Amino acid sequence: MKSIFYTRFFILLPWILIVIIVIDIDTKRLSVRNTASFYLSRLGNVHGSNATSLPVIYAITPTYSRAVQKAELTRLANTFRQVPRFHWIVVEDSNSHTELVSRFLARSGLRYTHLNVFTPRRFKRTGMPRATEQRNLALGWLRGHRSVKDKGVVFFADDDNTYSLALFEEMRSTRRVSVWPVGLVGGRRYERPLVEEGKVVGWYTGWKADRPFAIDMAGFAVNLQVILSNPRALFKRRGAKPGMQESDFLKQITKVEDLEPKAKNCTQVLVWHTRTEKVNLGNEPKRQQDSVYIEV
Amino acid sequence: MKSIFYTRFFILLPWILIVIIVIDIDTKRLSVRNTASFYLSRLGNVHGSNATSLPVIYAITPTYSRAVQKAELTRLANTFRQVPRFHWIVVEDSNSHTELVSRFLARSGLRYTHLNVFTPRRFKRTGMPRATEQRNLALGWLRGHRSVKDKGVVFFADDDNTYSLALFEEMRSTRRVSVWPVGLVGGRRYERPLVEEGKVVGWYTGWKADRPFAIDMAGFAVNLQVILSNPRALFKRRGAKPGMQESDFLKQITKVEDLEPKAKNCTQVLVWHTRTEKVNLGNEPKRQQDSVYIEV
């Protein structure tokens, strides 16, 4: 009798232990995984079902070769690296990919697409809109490489502006076209859409208040599906008046009354239209004086 | 006989299973933990023994109220947030902590110390060195709050420069005083210490080449213990000539031949002396026109 008891005990005990261990693993592994994915999500490498269903933010950045170019791209990348589900579309104003930008992007740690198109010289005059060809090429790329299945938001991120991380979380929920204030623009501390009962009813601006959309390029985002379902919507070169790029583009895809106000009904500045000073290179030697070539 | 065999089998099998499961948990948990701590370390919240033994980087940033201040601090914080073991010492040129900077720092997610000291008006003239009082106050704070036990590196991070993340990993190993190139400074694409056989032997500069240390404020870092063991080393107001702040300070704590060259023997530009344009507020209304007050 005693023998049978022991036998049964030794048979049952380990099975009970196995059940306890397996339950224990499952809960612990789950919590470790949750902790990890929280930090992963802050780094932009999001795993797990919630995260992958977030719309991708496609930031379109036109850029051109100049002394401060690498510096500007460096601080932009430092910001964008902290935005989850981010895809950077960098379009160079050049006849081919430059080595500087290619190397920079490859080391950036960001998901990116590198494009280039040269702006004809006749368009490079004061008063002419800038970066038209580059933005349109990026829109063309999206139309060729993304479909109705893809969830995304498109934003025009010039390379000298300053972006808070909060801006990207605001724009991510854009259903059609969303808008928000922009700091340090139009000769004022800020410009913003005026909002009443959740609708845009006008513009607080110091400049050309009669524009249909009195907003800077950094002040709006467009759902990817709106870009795809309006395949002819582009930035205009012909007939474009100074400061009318944004209005000319937006009126092809939306109406003022349909705009979605973000940033607490357009009362927070989360992006600034900063400009970097042109660099004084007055002491740069005409011929190479240093013993090595250094990329700046 | 058959009965005994089955009994032994059922007793041994679960024990073997338990051993397999325990081994399996240990390896998996280890790898999950390693993955998590890799990402944690990139976020600056470093855990684990290796990480906590890293010297802390103390970045001293003088700042003053102006239209672009919040924008500048925003992109600085976006960069610094990715530096592990980072402590930001922000010193305002003001009679008290401003609300804007206080709120900004509290929400920054960074470890920080907020100080302020007002620069007397008589020192605010062109040609006068800037931010002397603010940098000295930060050095005083370090001397009062850190001791021989603390491992750290001190760096002067002006609020308009551009910093790559690689710069901080270069400076972290500073034993006494380290140096590296700075981009877009002195009227040239870059300035740099000239290095031969691991020693600084001169300066590549376009301006005042006879300075003992022909280097920008953004071009060097100092081990915390050097700051503590030279309690009188400060930035000078009296007798300071334009462009001599760095030399006047460095000659109190080191000699040129003792400098430690970083960034591949001073052949890489990892920091840029960018300057942000003063904002045109020509259209800003004299009296508040908007219905809400918005911080910019």
Side-chain angles (χ1 to χ4, degrees):
Chain A
M1 190 62 205
K2 214 175 175 181
S3 154
I4 291 174
F5 175 77
Y6 277 119
T7 311
R8 288 201 179 153
F9 178 77
F10 279 110
I11 291 178
L12 281 174
L13 175 72
W15 287 111
I16 292 165
L17 275 173
I18 288 179
V19 170
I20 292 172
I21 290 174
V22 167
I23 290 171
D24 183 63
I25 301 170
D26 262 8
T27 49
K28 286 212 179 136
R29 208 170 275 171
L30 209 69
S31 77
V32 174
R33 202 183 292 147
N34 284 346
T35 314
S37 79
F38 169 75
Y39 286 105
L40 284 163
S41 73
R42 294 197 48 185
L43 275 165
N45 302 314
V46 182
H47 302 295
S49 58
N50 270 341
T52 48
S53 73
L54 275 183
V56 173
I57 289 172
Y58 296 93
I60 295 174
T61 301
T63 187
Y64 65 100
S65 182
R66 62 201 190 279
V68 298
Q69 183 180 31
K70 193 175 171 189
E72 300 281 42
L73 294 176
T74 298
R75 52 186 170 190
L76 267 193
N78 285 351
T79 295
F80 295 162
R81 213 174 284 119
Q82 290 163 84
V83 181
R85 302 270 292 164
F86 184 89
H87 185 132
W88 198 8
I89 305 180
V90 177
V91 195
E92 288 194 80
D93 181 354
S94 62
N95 281 317
S96 57
H97 290 191
T98 64
E99 273 192 46
L100 186 148
V101 175
S102 305
R103 252 197 311 266
F104 177 84
L105 288 172
R107 292 177 189 166
S108 69
L110 289 160
R111 199 189 326 180
Y112 68 88
T113 296
H114 185 182
L115 305 172
N116 69 280
V117 54
F118 186 68
T119 306
R121 194 151 300 180
R122 66 182 181 280
F123 294 144
K124 283 179 177 163
R125 280 178 296 182
T126 25
M128 283 275 199
R130 294 173 66 178
T132 307
E133 287 74 17
Q134 287 74 34
R135 291 195 189 100
N136 285 341
L137 185 65
L139 293 174
W141 184 88
L142 284 169
R143 286 166 182 145
H145 294 80
R146 291 296 179 269
S147 72
V148 285
K149 294 192 311 270
D150 296 301
K151 295 212 285 178
V153 172
V154 180
F155 171 58
F156 298 96
D158 285 357
D159 66 358
D160 50 356
N161 291 340
T162 301
Y163 308 94
S164 73
L165 298 183
L167 178 70
F168 300 95
E169 295 327 303
E170 288 290 323
M171 74 173 74
R172 205 184 289 277
S173 59
T174 303
R175 281 176 300 166
R176 296 193 55 82
V177 180
S178 64
V179 291
W180 53 78
V182 178
L184 313 178
V185 72
R188 290 200 170 179
R189 292 173 60 243
Y190 62 89
E191 285 184 346
R192 73 178 187 103
L194 296 169
V195 178
E196 273 175 25
E197 291 172 7
K199 295 272 182 195
V200 174
V201 295
W203 310 93
Y204 175 83
T205 173
W207 184 73
K208 276 206 176 193
D210 60 341
R211 289 173 285 167
F213 297 82
I215 198 167
D216 185 77
M217 200 63 80
F220 65 92
V222 184
N223 190 293
L224 176 63
Q225 294 309 321
V226 174
I227 299 289
L228 301 186
S229 60
N230 292 276
R232 292 188 181 181
L234 286 171
F235 289 92
K236 282 193 211 170
R237 184 54 85 182
R238 288 192 181 191
K241 288 175 202 144
M244 293 298 280
Q245 283 235 294
E246 296 86 350
S247 288
D248 283 344
F249 179 71
L250 286 170
K251 71 187 183 192
Q252 300 172 63
I253 55 171
T254 189
K255 298 188 188 97
V256 173
E257 58 266 33
D258 294 337
L259 294 173
E260 301 152 36
K262 299 289 179 187
K264 291 199 176 154
N265 275 325
C266 298
T267 61
Q268 289 183 316
V269 170
L270 302 175
V271 55
W272 295 261
H273 192 267
T274 40
R275 286 164 167 274
T276 305
E277 267 185 21
K278 225 184 149 213
V279 177
N280 160 25
L281 293 178
N283 291 325
E284 186 67 15
K286 296 276 178 294
R287 288 185 202 171
Q288 168 105 8
Q289 276 186 356
D290 202 353
S291 52
V292 286
Y293 176 79
I294 296 180
E295 182 181 276
V296 178
Chain B
M1 189 62 203
K2 213 174 174 184
S3 153
I4 291 174
F5 174 78
Y6 276 120
T7 311
R8 288 201 180 152
F9 178 78
F10 278 110
I11 290 176
L12 281 174
L13 174 73
W15 287 112
I16 293 166
L17 274 174
I18 288 179
V19 170
I20 292 172
I21 290 174
V22 167
I23 291 171
D24 183 65
I25 301 169
D26 262 5
T27 49
K28 284 212 181 136
R29 208 170 275 174
L30 208 69
S31 77
V32 174
R33 201 183 292 147
N34 283 346
T35 314
S37 78
F38 169 75
Y39 286 106
L40 284 163
S41 72
R42 293 198 49 186
L43 274 167
N45 302 316
V46 181
H47 303 296
S49 58
N50 270 342
T52 48
S53 73
L54 275 183
V56 173
I57 288 173
Y58 295 93
I60 296 174
T61 301
T63 187
Y64 65 100
S65 182
R66 61 201 190 278
V68 298
Q69 183 180 31
K70 192 174 171 189
E72 300 281 42
L73 294 176
T74 297
R75 53 185 169 190
L76 267 193
N78 285 351
T79 295
F80 294 163
R81 211 174 285 119
Q82 290 163 85
V83 181
R85 302 270 293 162
F86 185 88
H87 185 132
W88 199 9
I89 305 180
V90 176
V91 195
E92 286 194 80
D93 182 353
S94 61
N95 281 316
S96 57
H97 290 189
T98 63
E99 272 191 48
L100 185 147
V101 176
S102 304
R103 251 197 312 264
F104 177 84
L105 288 173
R107 292 176 190 168
S108 69
L110 288 160
R111 200 189 327 179
Y112 68 89
T113 297
H114 185 182
L115 305 172
N116 70 280
V117 53
F118 186 67
T119 306
R121 196 152 297 183
R122 66 182 181 283
F123 294 144
K124 284 179 176 163
R125 280 178 297 182
T126 24
M128 283 274 198
R130 293 174 66 178
T132 308
E133 287 73 18
Q134 287 74 34
R135 291 194 189 99
N136 285 341
L137 184 66
L139 293 175
W141 184 88
L142 284 168
R143 286 166 182 143
H145 293 80
R146 290 296 179 269
S147 73
V148 286
K149 295 191 312 268
D150 296 302
K151 295 213 285 178
V153 171
V154 180
F155 171 58
F156 298 97
D158 286 358
D159 67 358
D160 50 356
N161 290 340
T162 301
Y163 308 94
S164 73
L165 298 182
L167 178 71
F168 299 95
E169 295 327 302
E170 287 291 322
M171 74 172 75
R172 204 184 290 277
S173 59
T174 303
R175 280 176 299 167
R176 295 193 56 81
V177 179
S178 63
V179 291
W180 53 79
V182 178
L184 313 178
V185 72
R188 288 199 172 181
R189 292 173 61 242
Y190 62 90
E191 285 183 346
R192 74 179 187 104
L194 297 169
V195 178
E196 274 175 24
E197 291 172 4
K199 296 273 182 194
V200 174
V201 296
W203 310 94
Y204 175 82
T205 173
W207 184 73
K208 277 208 176 190
D210 60 340
R211 289 173 287 167
F213 297 82
I215 198 166
D216 184 77
M217 200 63 79
F220 65 91
V222 184
N223 190 293
L224 176 64
Q225 294 308 320
V226 173
I227 298 290
L228 301 185
S229 61
N230 292 276
R232 292 189 180 179
L234 286 171
F235 289 92
K236 282 194 211 169
R237 184 56 84 182
R238 290 193 180 191
K241 287 175 202 146
M244 292 298 279
Q245 283 234 296
E246 295 85 350
S247 288
D248 284 345
F249 179 71
L250 286 170
K251 71 187 183 192
Q252 300 172 66
I253 56 171
T254 189
K255 298 189 189 93
V256 172
E257 57 266 34
D258 294 338
L259 294 173
E260 300 151 36
K262 299 288 180 189
K264 291 199 176 154
N265 276 324
C266 299
T267 62
Q268 289 183 316
V269 170
L270 302 175
V271 54
W272 296 261
H273 193 265
T274 39
R275 287 163 167 276
T276 305
E277 266 185 21
K278 226 186 147 212
V279 176
N280 160 25
L281 293 180
N283 291 326
E284 186 66 16
K286 295 275 178 294
R287 289 186 202 169
Q288 168 103 12
Q289 277 186 356
D290 202 353
S291 52
V292 287
Y293 176 79
I294 296 181
E295 183 180 275
V296 179

